[in-house]
Amino acid sequence: MRYVSTRGAAAALGFEDVVLAGLARDGGLYVPESWPAIAPDELRRWESLSYADVAVEVMRPFVDGISEDDFAAIVHETYAVPGVFHQAAVTPLRQLDAGEWLLELFHGPTLAFKDVALQLLGRLFEHILKKRGERITVVGATSGDTGSAAIEACRDRENVTIFMLHPHGRVSEVQRRQMTSVPSANVYNIAVQGTFDDCQALVKAMFNDHAFRDRLNLAAVNSINWARVLAQVVYYFQASLALGGHDGRRIDFSVPTGNFGDVFAGYVASRMGAPVNKLIVATNVNDILSRALRSGDYSRGTVQPTISPSMDIQVSSNFERLLFDLYGGDGARIAALMDDFAATGRLAIGNGQVTDASRLFAATRIDEDETRATIAHVLRHNATLIDPHTAVGVAAGRKLRTGPEVPLVSLATAHPAKFPDAVQAASGIYPGLPPHLADLLTRPERYEILPNDLKSVQDHIGALTQ
Ligand SMILES: *Cc1c(COP(=O)(O)O)cnc(C)c1O
């Protein structure tokens, strides 16, 4: 399988190079040259397989450069039970009501769905780097949520060192401890005396310092990495198979959405032949995607902080991958549209493209009151405590689902204990941490407090990566 850039100008690459590259050199995102199709007979054979075996089958057509045996071993190490995921099904379905399910994606080490893909990505990095005799230094900034998933993905991986910057005193205690209590020698936390924006600016400046970047072989693990999208395709197949999905029985999925990575994985599953009926794109009040899919208006607003912070975004990077398909794979056209968007903050999607997208996608925004009301309602009527991100998905799914004859699966993207204050305010219940994190508040921590100053941060990182 070869991968091309959505902006048409960068060289086509194989799987391993795409995993290491992240963003393409022309500013685009890598997409596979074609979508492999899974025959209905093949799908039926997968019904009896474990999560890890389904994962190997789903991802295999996209992987080259890694032998089949090595790839299967990496996937099994990631998803084997007992292991990093605390459920035999890895992503179990929990029935909420008649014809309605939650797909629980939060049984990994940091209690959020990003673990499902990042745990695989960390192992892929290690495998590829060892083979090539290379090292990378992962540098990232976090406002609290993604930092721990990236650290758990990279910890103890050979040839990988990770530095995570967070704003000192501005992340919750649980979030900070999930990062700073990891004892691994290749993990470094830096608390910057500044804001999250300062942290992001420092990371950007380090990537723009080409001498520094090349000397340390800097790398990022952000959500545009193709391997992350690919790993998420698996659970759409897994859930459809568990619910008896086939050509005649299709399933609606509702997906709490920020960067469009998770729901784009649903699109890939659908293109490959998974029995997906509708993909419901659920946003909070930061609704650029809901506007884009309903009326073609993809325009940047200002970020409004919400109780579902992992979806507080103004620009949805992975949306470019869908645009590429909607515009018939015309990279030059996408490059022009994205240049325009960068300059004006607006992009008008054509009527034909909006109509095409509406055959599979439906979209809506859920405001803060509806999110809180959904948490309370699901607790009272379905005896289940859900987190605010999941609540956005459940609320949108209930509004836009096809009807009672079509099963509805809402993706549960975080454990309620990850956002305890918002959950308590909405439901009256303070969610406790699961057993594997029960002693989190007493584990020793390790982090360095540094001023908001590029030279201090670079000197610190440079000294530790000699
Ligand atoms: C990252 C995240 C999302 C949004 O996923 P995207 O792939 O960015 O659309 C939703 N919920 C939670 C809990 C997340 O951490």
Side-chain angles (χ1 to χ4, degrees):
M1 176 70 78
R2 304 292 289 171
Y3 290 83
V4 295
S5 163
T6 49
R7 302 198 186 173
L13 297 179
F15 178 75
E16 293 191 346
D17 288 320
V18 163
V19 170
L20 291 182
L23 205 66
R25 292 225 168 236
D26 59 4
L29 308 186
Y30 280 107
V31 284
E33 231 163 24
S34 62
W35 300 117
I38 309 300
D41 290 358
E42 184 72 357
L43 267 188
R44 266 189 290 281
R45 191 176 68 75
W46 293 0
E47 266 175 29
S48 55
L49 300 184
S50 70
Y51 187 95
D53 285 329
V54 172
V56 171
E57 297 287 347
V58 169
M59 294 190 278
R60 197 201 317 266
F62 294 95
V63 177
D64 61 24
I66 304 176
S67 77
E68 291 207 2
D69 286 351
D70 283 349
F71 184 67
I74 293 166
V75 171
H76 277 269
E77 191 197 299
T78 310
Y79 300 115
V81 172
V84 271
F85 291 89
H86 299 266
Q87 288 281 324
V90 179
T91 58
L93 283 163
R94 177 188 174 111
Q95 187 155 16
L96 264 192
D97 215 326
E100 187 184 9
W101 284 264
L102 284 180
L103 178 58
E104 294 184 344
L105 304 176
F106 52 71
H107 294 286
T110 75
L111 310 181
F113 92 97
K114 291 186 175 70
D115 288 330
V116 179
L118 278 166
Q119 285 295 318
L120 180 70
L121 182 63
R123 288 169 172 79
L124 285 173
F125 273 156
E126 182 175 67
H127 180 84
I128 298 168
L129 292 168
K130 268 166 81 174
K131 201 162 74 177
R132 297 184 171 192
E134 292 173 13
R135 296 191 56 85
I136 54 170
T137 307
V138 174
V139 176
T142 183
S143 57
D145 287 324
T146 50
S148 56
I151 286 172
E152 286 292 341
C154 295
R155 69 181 291 181
D156 304 321
R157 300 275 141 234
E158 282 178 53
N159 299 9
V160 178
T161 308
I162 180 166
F163 291 87
M164 189 55 63
L165 279 58
H166 71 265
H168 183 46
R170 292 174 201 246
V171 302
S172 78
E173 184 177 11
V174 168
Q175 287 172 335
R176 187 191 72 238
R177 285 178 168 276
Q178 279 192 297
M179 298 189 283
T180 59
S181 66
V182 173
S184 307
N186 68 333
V187 171
Y188 298 97
N189 282 283
I190 298 173
V192 174
Q193 290 170 317
T195 63
F196 171 56
D197 287 342
D198 295 329
C199 296
Q200 265 189 317
L202 287 167
V203 169
K204 202 167 168 189
M206 285 188 265
F207 274 88
N208 283 335
D209 178 344
H210 290 181
F212 185 77
R213 175 185 181 157
D214 292 343
R215 185 161 66 77
L216 273 67
N217 212 2
L218 290 192
V221 290
N222 44 25
S223 78
I224 51 103
N225 193 300
W226 168 252
R228 285 184 61 178
V229 173
L230 181 58
Q232 293 167 17
V233 177
V234 175
Y235 46 70
Y236 288 91
F237 275 99
Q238 164 86 345
S240 319
L241 293 170
L243 293 175
H246 48 71
D247 264 355
R249 179 183 163 97
R250 298 182 160 264
I251 290 151
D252 284 350
F253 286 92
S254 183
V255 188
T257 303
N259 245 327
F260 207 74
D262 206 3
V263 72
F264 186 76
Y267 167 80
V268 175
S270 160
R271 290 296 302 255
M272 292 173 71
V276 176
N277 187 59
K278 216 187 240 187
L279 289 171
I280 297 165
V281 176
T283 71
N284 63 26
V285 294
N286 297 289
D287 63 350
I288 180 169
L289 283 170
S290 166
R291 279 183 285 116
L293 288 164
R294 290 157 69 98
S295 66
D297 168 29
Y298 187 76
S299 60
R300 192 161 39 209
T302 40
V303 171
Q304 301 179 51
T306 71
I307 56 170
S308 48
S310 301
M311 289 149 56
D312 293 348
I313 53 96
Q314 317 185 32
V315 179
S316 240
S317 341
N318 279 293
F319 192 58
E320 185 171 333
R321 289 189 158 115
L322 179 66
L323 286 176
F324 181 73
D325 268 17
L326 291 173
Y327 282 92
D330 183 349
R333 186 80 190 274
I334 298 300
L337 287 171
M338 297 314 294
D339 282 349
D340 231 31
F341 178 71
T344 64
R346 311 186 68 83
L347 191 166
I349 304 167
N351 288 338
Q353 282 75 22
V354 172
T355 306
D356 280 353
S358 71
R359 286 186 239 287
L360 181 63
F361 292 97
T364 190
R365 72 177 231 158
I366 302 297
D367 70 25
E368 295 286 273
D369 284 343
E370 288 173 285
T371 306
R372 280 187 282 264
T374 303
I375 294 173
H377 186 273
V378 168
L379 178 63
R380 202 161 51 244
H381 296 276
N382 312 101
T384 304
L385 196 57
I386 57 175
D387 103 287
H389 303 77
T390 306
V392 168
V394 169
R398 287 176 172 182
K399 277 189 186 172
L400 296 182
R401 68 184 296 186
T402 306
E405 72 285 5
V406 176
L408 169 66
V409 173
S410 294
L411 274 54
T413 51
H415 189 289
K418 190 126 196 185
F419 301 94
D421 299 329
V423 169
Q424 183 179 37
S427 69
I429 292 181
Y430 191 88
L433 288 163
H436 67 98
L437 285 173
D439 65 342
L440 182 68
L441 298 182
T442 59
R443 292 182 193 170
E445 293 185 83
R446 201 166 50 90
Y447 61 100
E448 194 77 27
I449 301 168
L450 292 180
N452 173 24
D453 170 61
L454 181 60
K455 184 164 186 319
S456 310
V457 175
Q458 276 183 319
D459 287 350
H460 179 76
I461 292 177
L464 289 166
T465 44
Q466 301 270 291

